[in-house]
Amino acid sequence: MQQMPAIFKNQLLAKLSLADRARVVPHLAPVNLPMRLSLVTPGETIERCFFFESGVASVVSSTADGKQAEIGIIGREGMVDVAAVMGGASSPLEVFVQMPGEAYVIATGELTAILDESRDFRRLLLGFAHSFLIQVSHTALATVTLNIEDRLARWPLMSCDRSESDTFPVTHEFLSLMLGVRRAGVTDALNKLASTGLIATSRGQITILDRTALEKRAGDNYGVPEANYRDLVGD
C-alpha cells in the first residue's frame, strides 16, 4: 500500500477527510512531470488523472487548421483532467506540462469509482472544476477586452500562485501561444512591463518585481477566479 504522506502540497488532496484519504491514497503513485509532457491528448481516452504537487500544466484549445491558444493553467490548486470529474471519457483540449514538477497519478477508473463512493470528494473536485470554468471565462474576457501588456500581466500572477516563487521559466514560444500573438508582440509586451519595473526578464525566465502594481495592471481579470476558487474549494 502507498505510504500516506503527512502533508499534501496539492490543495485538493490536502483537504481530504481521513475517510477519503484512506480511499484515495492506496491508488496514488508519485510521478515526475518533465516540461512538455503530454497529460491529455485531444480525442483520446483519459486513462490517468494527475494531482499536481508542483509545476504547472497548460490547457490548450486548437482549431482544425492548427491554430492554438492557451485557455487555462492548472497547478497544485487542482487536478488534470476536469473532464474525467465531469464524466467525460475524453476531451477536445490538450493538456501538457508547462513548468516541470511532481504529481500524484491515479487511474481514471479508480478515481471515478471513489467519486461514486464519496459525496464529499465529488463535491470538492466539482468545486475545482467550476472554479476552472471561471478561470477559462476570464481568459476569454481578457482576450477581447485587454491589450497585450495587460493580458501578459495576468499570467505571471497566476503562475506565481501555483509555483510559490516570484521567478519561473517561460519561453517566448509559449507566451506567444498564451497570448495568441506573434513572438515579436511578446517581446514588445515584455519590454513594456519590464520598463515600468513590474517584471524583470532574462533568457528563459520572468521575475515579478512589483506584485501589487502587476495586479493593478491586470485589472479585474485577475482576482475574481481566485476568489471563486476560495469560495468553492477553500484556502
Side-chain angles (χ1 to χ4, degrees), residues 20 22-29 46-49 51 79 84-85 105-118 121-122 125:
D20 283 337
R23 290 187 178 100
V24 174
V25 168
H27 303 288
L28 296 176
I46 302 170
E47 297 182 348
R48 302 190 299 169
C49 292
F51 290 83
M79 54 82 65
V85 176
V105 63
I106 182 173
T108 301
E110 298 287 358
L111 178 65
T112 54
I114 295 170
L115 291 176
D116 287 341
E117 295 176 3
S118 173
F121 190 37
R122 176 177 291 277
L125 296 196

Side-chain angles (χ1 to χ4, degrees), residues 145-209:
T145 61
L146 300 182
N147 60 35
I148 296 175
E149 294 81 37
D150 292 345
R151 286 159 56 197
L152 179 58
R154 176 177 178 248
W155 187 84
L157 293 167
M158 295 170 64
S159 298
C160 178
D161 292 345
R162 291 159 176 81
S163 64
E164 296 185 298
S165 173
D166 290 334
T167 299
F168 33 84
V170 67
T171 64
H172 278 55
E173 176 187 8
F174 172 71
L175 289 177
S176 177
L177 170 66
M178 185 271 292
L179 293 171
V181 299
R182 295 183 178 181
R183 291 184 62 174
V186 169
T187 300
D188 186 51
L190 285 171
N191 289 339
K192 288 181 178 178
L193 291 181
S195 68
T196 57
L198 302 185
I199 63 171
T201 62
S202 59
R203 182 177 292 274
Q205 68 179 25
I206 291 176
T207 300
I208 296 176
L209 299 180

Side-chain angles (χ1 to χ4, degrees), residues 76-91:
R76 61 189 178 88
E77 88 290 356
M79 54 82 65
V80 173
D81 188 61
V82 293
V85 176
M86 305 298 290
S90 64
S91 171

Side-chain angles (χ1 to χ4, degrees), residues 41-144:
T41 300
E44 293 189 4
T45 301
I46 302 170
E47 297 182 348
R48 302 190 299 169
C49 292
F50 300 81
F51 290 83
F52 277 49
E53 290 277 283
S54 60
V56 175
S58 180
V59 184
V60 175
S61 182
S62 305
T63 63
D65 60 358
K67 294 184 177 67
Q68 293 184 312
E70 183 191 64
I71 63 168
I73 64 175
I74 297 171
R76 61 189 178 88
E77 88 290 356
M79 54 82 65
V80 173
D81 188 61
V82 293
V85 176
M86 305 298 290
S90 64
S91 171
L93 305 175
E94 178 184 5
V95 185
F96 63 85
V97 176
Q98 175 54 32
M99 296 183 193
E102 298 176 337
Y104 286 102
V105 63
I106 182 173
T108 301
E110 298 287 358
L111 178 65
T112 54
I114 295 170
L115 291 176
D116 287 341
E117 295 176 3
S118 173
R119 180 178 299 179
D120 289 342
F121 190 37
R122 176 177 291 277
R123 184 183 300 112
L124 180 66
L125 296 196
L126 287 176
F128 167 69
H130 186 266
S131 72
F132 181 70
L133 175 62
I134 301 302
Q135 182 199 142
V136 171
S137 71
H138 274 69
T139 298
L141 181 64
T143 300
V144 298

